[in-house]
Amino acid sequence: PSRPLVITVTGGAGQIAYALLPLLASGYALGSEQRVSLRLLDLPVMMEAMRGVAMELEDGAYPLLDAAVVVTDDPRVAFDGCDVAVLLGSFPRKPGMERKELLARNATIFREQGESIKAVARGDIRVLVVGNPANTNAWILSQYAAPAVPPEHIMALTRLDHNRTRSLVAHTLHCRVDAVDGVVVWGNHSSTQYPDVSVATAPNVTRGRMRAAVGGEAFLRDVLIPTVQTRGAAVLAARKLSSAMSAANAIADHLRDWLCGMKAGDSGQSWVSAAVMSDGSYDIEPGIFYSFPVRCAGGGAYEIVHDLPVDEFSRKYMQATGDELIAERDEAIALLRRGSAL
Ligand code: NAI
């Protein structure tokens, strides 16, 4: 790779950024050959904190990192010529805030960022949305970045949920995490997400046997599914801060697979989970950003894995999380039409 990859990270002064930036600068995320050039975007009040982060990146003396780290509060500067955008910056839920208000605040941010990306980024940009509500933020962004940026270039992160599921299965079976393959997280990155182990495999657990191996439907319903669904809240309650180390690690995993490809034996999985625009697969409403099993060939190409069996148990969960996404999209449409996005 001759020229450095321009990576823009929004929410550059936040806690996920602080854990993610060293993974990008060191080559952990994108390999030891890929030079990177970093642009950090945050709000004007965070400029000073961000300059501190840029100082620390300089002090890391990372061989792969372009010396000039750009720090800005202007999206047009941040996204100018950008190859990869990781969107962490979003409006956090405050105590007592209604979901609708959260959606409205973020609709504004992701509309503006979609417009900026459309205006100044490279057409082949890849955008990973992490800031919550991530799936619907990705949908909003896709509306305003089109047609310059096709929706296939935009994803929302559910890899953390995927990693949590895989790890929980490994703990339950007392096996290595990299020996667990074939988990899927379906739907929204929210408490309705559906972590599915029905076709997962592990040493001595062949396809179709995983549900029984971990403890049957009751264990799924009462332990595994709710544990993964509420894991973010559990970390928040324990740490008094939301997941950042594990989120950054999941972002690195996602970017590596998406941009470099899931080479056999490397990611070691048959597929991974990512929220992409639904093409109607598995009877999911077309157009919403829904987490599916995907395979990535590298260079930003991906395909949804088709033809996994879906039984009645799974269908119920897949439908519920899809219904939530349709409702969020419809709320976003109403807010943006009325011009009442805040
Ligand atoms: P944080 O609060 O530490 O940092 C967020 C940063 O974004 C702040 O510095 C803030 O000033 C900035 N920001 C706010 N509005 C902005 C805008 N319009 N443009 C640029 N920057 C802006 O939050 P943290 O922990 O880094 O998390 C970031 C987001 O990621 C949150 O929305 C969180 O809910 C979400 N998240 C998503 C996960 C996923 O799996 N999809 C997992 C963990 C967190």
Side-chain angles (χ1 to χ4, degrees):
S2 47
R3 86 177 167 83
L5 203 66
V6 178
I7 307 181
T8 303
V9 177
T10 75
Q15 49 148 5
I16 297 179
Y18 198 75
L20 174 66
L21 292 167
L23 305 184
L24 297 175
S26 66
Y28 176 80
L30 299 177
S32 57
E33 305 278 298
Q34 180 62 60
R35 287 161 59 219
V36 296
S37 173
L38 290 173
R39 307 256 176 88
L40 312 183
L41 175 76
D42 209 298
L43 300 175
V45 291
M46 300 305 285
M47 284 296 287
E48 199 188 344
M50 237 182 353
R51 277 194 274 274
V53 174
M55 284 185 231
E56 287 205 67
L57 282 167
E58 277 174 32
D59 298 348
Y62 296 102
L64 295 169
L65 179 62
D66 227 37
V69 174
V70 174
V71 165
T72 179
D73 57 9
D74 180 351
R76 303 261 164 159
V77 173
F79 295 120
D80 186 27
C82 157
D83 296 296
V84 178
V86 182
L87 306 187
L88 309 171
S90 63
F91 195 91
R93 191 193 281 262
K94 301 259 167 75
M97 185 189 253
E98 297 233 350
R99 208 173 64 98
K100 213 171 198 154
E101 190 186 344
L102 183 74
L103 200 67
R105 298 234 173 227
N106 283 295
T108 309
I109 294 174
F110 285 85
R111 179 184 61 200
E112 282 171 11
Q113 294 192 349
E115 286 168 347
S116 298
I117 285 171
K118 178 179 174 173
V120 300
R122 297 170 55 92
D124 58 1
I125 187 177
R126 294 298 188 278
V127 184
L128 177 61
V129 179
V130 180
N132 280 315
N135 302 51
T136 299
N137 288 342
W139 180 85
I140 293 166
L141 184 107
S142 75
Q143 302 298 302
Y144 292 92
V149 180
E152 293 78 22
H153 290 194
I154 301 166
M155 293 194 188
L157 185 77
T158 53
R159 184 61 171 267
L160 176 55
D161 309 298
H162 180 99
N163 287 351
R164 285 167 172 164
T165 307
R166 201 179 178 209
S167 182
L168 184 54
V169 168
H171 275 270
T172 307
L173 298 178
H174 307 290
C175 72
R176 285 172 53 130
V177 72
D178 59 354
V180 176
D181 184 25
V183 304
V184 185
V185 170
W186 302 92
N188 199 1
H189 170 69
S190 78
S191 58
T192 65
Q193 65 179 262
Y194 171 44
D196 174 12
V197 302
S198 59
V199 293
T201 57
N204 304 318
V205 184
T206 51
R207 187 159 160 161
R209 298 279 172 85
M210 183 60 84
R211 280 177 174 167
V214 293
E217 283 196 9
F219 178 83
L220 297 178
R221 197 179 48 237
D222 301 335
V223 182
L224 187 138
I225 295 170
T227 300
V228 176
Q229 286 175 331
T230 60
R231 185 67 159 186
V235 171
L236 177 63
R239 223 168 73 85
K240 318 289 179 255
L241 285 169
S242 60
S243 325
M245 189 208 306
S246 54
N249 181 62
I251 293 166
D253 287 347
H254 181 119
L255 292 177
R256 186 184 312 115
D257 285 343
W258 198 13
L259 303 175
C260 309
M262 301 168 49
K263 292 176 222 86
D266 177 2
S267 147
Q269 299 179 78
S270 303
W271 55 74
V272 292
S273 304
V276 300
M277 196 191 63
S278 168
D279 60 356
S281 297
Y282 298 96
D283 290 325
I284 300 304
E285 169 94 350
I288 59 174
F289 277 72
Y290 188 97
S291 181
F292 286 104
V294 301
R295 275 195 203 98
C296 305
Y302 75 87
E303 56 175 24
I304 295 175
V305 176
H306 292 107
D307 304 326
L308 297 184
V310 173
D311 64 5
E312 219 176 300
F313 181 90
S314 291
R315 176 55 64 189
K316 207 175 54 181
Y317 285 100
M318 287 165 67
Q319 177 98 33
T321 190
D323 287 348
E324 183 181 57
L325 281 169
I326 292 170
E328 284 185 15
R329 178 205 59 192
D330 291 347
E331 259 173 56
I333 291 174
L335 287 164
L336 292 161
R337 277 223 188 102
R338 282 205 305 273
S340 58
L342 300 171

